């Protein structure tokens, strides 16, 4: 269902349909991005938690845990389980990242489907009733998605290289991941305005 927009009567029917499709696609992409981010953040937290537990079950902590209490085999089994969970989280994070990159590409495609023409910079609160304004909104969201995806790519690299003993690095990684400097959609942000303007 296309959103209701007060499109200029001067627009042809084809142009109105193209605008509606572009903005409906933008609105959908913004919602999907938030959903994917929530799942990815949960996966990262699970992976980092497994890493912390792996460190706790390492040989250096054997004296604290007590081999007699848990048993050597139980310790090895538990540690192996945590390593597998970390690996599974990493794989899932890569899959989610690919989906987020695809969303950025989708916005590029939507902008191209509007055809060539002038583009107005996105201004929060502006009516997206013309192609130039719609191009600006799509470009603003697309740039934010591409930049955030690039940052997440580097953070995933850091995740893969983290050692269980690096407690401070784990905490810093989660903070860097959660800050979302390019795509944060909290109240008052540019992305929050984009979501409101496409409703």
């Amino acid at each position: 269902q296309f959103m209701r927009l007060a499109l200029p009567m001067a627009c042809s029917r084809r142009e109105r349909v193209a605008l509606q499709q572009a903005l409906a696609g933008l609105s959908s992409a913004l919602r999907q991005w938030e959903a994917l981010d929530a799942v990815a953040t949960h996966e990262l937290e699970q992976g980092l938690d497994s890493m912390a537990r792996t460190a706790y079950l390492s040989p250096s902590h054997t004296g604290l845990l007590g081999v007699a209490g848990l048993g050597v085999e139980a310790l090895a089994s538990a540690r192996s389980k945590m390593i597998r969970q970390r690996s599974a989280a990493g794989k899932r994070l890569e899959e989610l990242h690919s989906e987020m990159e695809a969303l950025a590409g989708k916005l590029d495609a939507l902008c191209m489907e509007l055809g060539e023409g002038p583009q107005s910079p996105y201004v929060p609160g502006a009516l997206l009733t013309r192609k130039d304004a719609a191009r600006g909104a799509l470009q603003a969201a697309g740039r934010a998605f591409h930049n955030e995806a690039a940052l997440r790519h580097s953070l995933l690299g850091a995740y893969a290289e983290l050692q269980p003993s690096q407690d401070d690095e784990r905490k810093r990684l989660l903070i860097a991941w959660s800050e979302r400097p390019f795509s944060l959609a909290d109240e008052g942000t540019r992305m929050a305005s984009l979501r409101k303007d496409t409703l």
Side-chain angles (χ1 to χ4, degrees):
Q1 181 179 355
F2 295 136
M3 60 198 71
R4 297 175 181 175
L5 295 170
L7 298 176
M9 293 305 295
C11 284
S12 68
R13 183 179 183 280
R14 176 178 292 184
E15 288 176 323
R16 290 198 298 271
V17 170
L19 274 171
Q20 289 172 332
Q21 290 178 333
L23 295 176
L26 172 56
S27 180
S28 174
L30 291 170
R31 290 194 303 271
Q32 290 178 64
W33 183 273
E34 291 303 311
L36 287 170
D37 175 72
V39 176
T41 299
H42 176 71
E43 289 290 344
L44 179 65
E45 290 171 342
Q46 293 291 100
L48 293 177
D49 181 66
S50 295
M51 200 180 303
R53 291 172 182 269
T54 301
Y56 187 65
L57 295 170
S58 66
S60 61
H61 287 86
T62 298
L64 296 175
L65 293 169
V67 175
L70 291 177
V72 175
E73 290 185 3
L75 275 172
S77 176
R79 192 164 187 269
S80 178
K81 179 182 178 180
M82 293 301 105
I83 292 173
R84 289 196 304 272
Q85 288 179 349
R86 175 196 174 177
S87 178
K91 182 178 180 180
R92 180 63 176 144
L93 282 167
E94 292 288 351
E95 293 170 351
L96 291 164
H97 185 258
S98 293
E99 292 184 49
M100 297 178 93
E101 286 184 319
L103 277 180
K106 176 184 177 181
L107 294 184
D108 294 339
L110 286 171
C111 197
M112 290 182 64
E113 287 173 9
L114 283 178
E116 296 182 358
Q119 175 179 304
S120 298
Y122 170 67
V123 178
L127 291 175
L128 305 178
T129 56
R130 301 187 317 274
K131 280 190 174 183
D132 60 317
R135 289 190 189 96
L138 286 165
Q139 202 244 10
R143 185 189 305 115
F145 283 8
H146 281 296
N147 288 341
E148 199 73 66
L151 174 59
R152 289 283 175 89
H153 178 74
S154 66
L155 294 177
L156 286 176
Y159 173 83
E161 295 176 2
L162 269 179
Q163 298 301 312
S165 60
Q166 295 177 299
D167 185 58
D168 289 341
E169 291 301 316
R170 287 199 306 272
K171 294 175 182 176
R172 278 194 282 268
L173 176 58
L174 183 57
I175 291 172
W177 183 280
S178 302
E179 283 186 346
R180 293 176 56 187
F182 302 106
S183 69
L184 186 66
D186 287 353
E187 186 66 31
T189 64
R190 189 176 181 82
M191 295 302 285
S193 296
L194 263 172
R195 292 187 67 183
K196 289 180 181 178
D197 293 341
T198 56
L199 292 176

